[in-house]
Amino acid sequence: MTVVKSRTFREKQGKILLEGRRLIADALKAGAVPKMFFFSRLDYLKELPADKLKGVRLVKVKFEEIKEWSDLVTPQGIMGIFAKPDHVKMTFPATQLRHSLPLLLICDNLRDPGNLGTILRSAAGAGCSKVLLTKGCVDPWEPKVLRAGMGAHFQVPIINNLDWETVPKYLPDDTRVYVADNCGLYTQAQKSNKASDHGWMCDQQLSKIHKYEEEEEEDLETGASKDWLPELEVQSYDLDWSEAPAAVVIGGETHGLSLESLQLAESTGGKRLLIPVVPGVDSLNSAMAASILLFEGRRQLRLRAEHLSRDRS
């Protein structure tokens, strides 16, 4: 049980660990393939669909053992090892699919399990059609992420461990990519060649800016030239930005947005979305920022659909 909780095991063996009757039931309903169940009472198995248990190894153990293995404050007496779900083969809830919107979420360097789980839950609640995770993000199948996700893993397609070069392949045609501006106002770098001169960057962004500036200076010495920071317009998150299929990039609180995410946004005609906060407050929690932007995107898309419906009638 210790080994199965490790990311190395999950990636090499292609298996995940699920705990609790509701999460296991959601996984089975979505088509996840069970391999083994550990349970302390036979009643817990009877709550699961019998046809899904064929060919599955069933192991009865003492509740004390499950309690020792469990990450839950109140263990539920059943744990299951499943084949790692493939989003292409999953059967997502019909209600979820019916309310799905042309709105995607891209997670960039999200390292906190609790934040990612909460973000996935918000993505499912907002009706996102897909969630993409780039390399550097925490494993979405880690127990802490699963616990915080509250079943969202089996409500919305999740594609993880992506290189930035492959991200566009998972976006619908004409998708515009927007980045969450969680460090306050950004200026157009080309105006002064030093965005930090304006004093609008948070500390983590300043460190990245200095890194990019140093790289640019090295390139100049060798005769090479490159744009060290993409030029992206800033707009308030509550102004209209979802007129086309839209993807929102949320960066991790420690590493912030990657240069690749800014370049992708620039190449698709996207912008920085600013969530204004009271002066003196550094930034919002990543999960909170994601929730605000996704539900604002949902509001805009629904409003647009209502206007189109009225125009046709």
Side-chain angles (χ1 to χ4, degrees):
M1 292 302 291
T2 302
V3 172
V4 79
K5 289 182 180 181
S6 72
R7 183 165 188 166
T8 302
F9 176 87
R10 289 193 297 272
E11 292 179 348
K12 286 186 176 180
Q13 300 295 324
K15 296 176 183 177
I16 62 170
L17 176 68
L18 303 180
E19 180 175 3
R21 297 190 290 279
R22 179 179 173 181
L23 187 59
I24 288 174
D26 286 345
L28 292 173
K29 190 175 181 180
V33 181
K35 298 295 183 181
M36 182 186 300
F37 284 124
F38 296 92
F39 61 98
S40 59
R41 290 175 53 185
L42 193 60
D43 290 346
Y44 297 151
L45 285 183
K46 291 180 179 179
E47 295 175 6
L48 303 176
D51 62 314
K52 300 287 187 180
L53 301 181
K54 293 178 181 178
V56 180
R57 186 180 176 192
L58 308 176
V59 183
K60 191 174 186 298
V61 296
K62 294 180 180 179
F63 181 75
E64 285 72 21
E65 291 186 68
I66 286 185
K67 191 174 181 180
E68 185 178 335
W69 299 335
S70 176
D71 288 321
L72 301 179
V73 176
T74 308
Q76 296 184 31
I78 185 168
M79 307 175 84
I81 295 177
F82 285 71
K84 194 172 183 179
D86 181 350
H87 73 281
V88 176
K89 299 177 181 178
M90 298 284 282
T91 303
F92 297 100
T95 304
Q96 191 77 27
L97 295 174
R98 191 165 59 249
H99 290 87
S100 179
L101 298 168
L103 181 64
L104 293 87
L105 174 66
I106 303 174
C107 298
D108 180 15
N109 273 318
L110 276 169
R111 307 290 178 88
D112 185 88
N115 274 347
L116 180 56
T118 302
I119 286 172
L120 294 176
R121 195 174 174 185
S122 291
C128 280
S129 60
K130 201 177 293 180
V131 178
L132 309 178
L133 277 68
T134 60
K135 288 183 177 179
C137 288
V138 63
D139 181 8
W141 301 105
E142 180 179 306
K144 290 181 180 178
V145 183
L146 286 161
R147 188 162 64 248
M150 293 292 289
H153 292 71
F154 304 106
Q155 294 175 317
V156 61
I158 300 170
I159 308 166
N160 69 312
N161 209 30
L162 295 176
D163 290 311
W164 276 104
E165 293 78 12
T166 63
V167 168
K169 297 179 182 178
Y170 295 93
L171 302 178
D173 293 339
D174 301 322
T175 297
R176 288 189 180 179
V177 176
Y178 298 86
V179 294
D181 189 345
N182 65 341
C183 291
L185 269 177
Y186 291 84
T187 187
Q188 306 295 352
Q190 285 78 0
K191 290 183 180 179
S192 69
N193 290 326
K194 283 188 179 290
S196 56
D197 288 347
H198 295 260
W200 287 345
M201 303 288 185
C202 67
D203 291 341
Q204 79 180 25
Q205 197 67 26
L206 278 173
S207 64
K208 297 191 90 175
I209 294 300
H210 292 322
K211 176 185 174 184
Y212 299 149
E213 288 174 350
E214 289 170 3
E215 290 176 354
E216 185 187 49
E217 288 173 1
E218 290 175 4
D219 288 336
L220 289 174
E221 290 175 3
T222 60
S225 176
K226 69 175 182 178
D227 295 329
W228 63 272
L229 189 66
E231 183 174 357
L232 287 175
E233 182 182 339
V234 181
Q235 77 165 55
S236 179
Y237 79 102
D238 55 357
L239 297 179
D240 193 17
W241 50 269
S242 58
E243 71 278 358
V248 176
V249 181
I250 297 293
E253 293 178 36
T254 304
H255 296 83
L257 294 166
S258 64
L259 179 59
E260 291 86 353
S261 70
L262 302 177
Q263 291 170 335
L264 181 59
E266 182 185 44
S267 69
T268 61
K271 300 177 182 179
R272 296 181 186 272
L273 298 180
L274 170 67
I275 303 175
V277 294
V278 173
V281 177
D282 181 45
S283 65
L284 292 177
N285 169 275
S286 293
M288 181 64 72
S291 298
I292 291 171
L293 294 178
L294 292 177
F295 279 94
E296 173 60 22
R298 175 179 176 80
R299 184 191 70 81
Q300 292 183 18
L301 287 168
R302 287 169 61 89
L303 197 61
R304 187 180 302 280
E306 290 173 4
H307 286 162
L308 288 173
S309 179
R310 281 200 296 268
D311 291 342
R312 288 170 183 169
S313 58

